[in-house]
Amino acid sequence: MFTAACADQLASPHGPAGQPCPARPWVCLMCPLAVFLPRDAPNLLRLRAFFRRQFRQMPSDQFMRVFGPYADHLDAEILPRFGEHTLLEAAAEVADDDQEIPLRPEESTR
C-alpha cells in the first residue's frame, strides 16, 4: 500500500472481494480499512504535494470535485494525528515530483 497500511486488502469496499484493492492512492485517505502509521508520513506528504500540483494545473471547481474531499481529509484529519517531529523528518524525504507516486500517465502533473 502506498498511502497507508490496509486492515484487509482483499476485502476492499472499492473492488471485488478476494482481489487486491484497485483504488487509487488518494482513495485510501477516506477508506475505513486504512491504518495510518508514522512510517506512512512521507507518502502522505508526497500525496499532499501531488494535490498541490494538481490544484495549480486544474480549474479549481474540477480539483474540488476530483481531489477536494481527499485533500481536505488529509490536511484536517490525518496529518494532525502525527507529531511535528514525525512530519519534519518525513518532509525531508519528499522531493515533490510525480516520480514519487504510483500514477497513471493521465494523472501526471507535467
Side-chain angles (χ1 to χ4, degrees):
M1 302 297 301
F2 175 79
T3 309
C6 185
D8 189 352
Q9 189 182 21
L10 298 178
S12 169
H14 310 291
Q19 304 242 341
C21 180
R24 304 306 300 135
W26 46 88
V27 174
C28 294
L29 297 174
M30 296 176 77
C31 182
L33 297 176
V35 179
F36 301 100
L37 303 170
R39 70 174 184 229
D40 301 312
N43 284 341
L44 292 167
L45 293 179
R46 288 179 180 106
L47 197 53
R48 182 170 69 174
F50 169 75
F51 290 150
R52 290 180 178 168
R53 291 191 308 273
Q54 286 288 1
F55 183 77
R56 287 192 301 266
Q57 79 176 25
M58 295 173 82
S60 59
D61 61 326
Q62 181 185 13
F63 174 86
M64 291 309 294
R65 279 192 315 275
V66 176
F67 297 115
Y70 303 108
D72 183 57
H73 191 70
L74 177 62
D75 286 337
E77 302 294 330
I78 297 171
L79 290 177
R81 296 179 193 170
F82 297 102
E84 183 179 343
H85 179 73
T86 299
L87 294 175
L88 286 172
E89 280 187 347
E93 297 180 35
V94 178
D96 192 15
D97 63 44
D98 286 349
Q99 301 305 313
E100 297 184 316
I101 301 175
L103 296 174
R104 297 177 180 145
E106 67 271 15
E107 296 166 343
S108 175
T109 58
R110 293 180 190 174

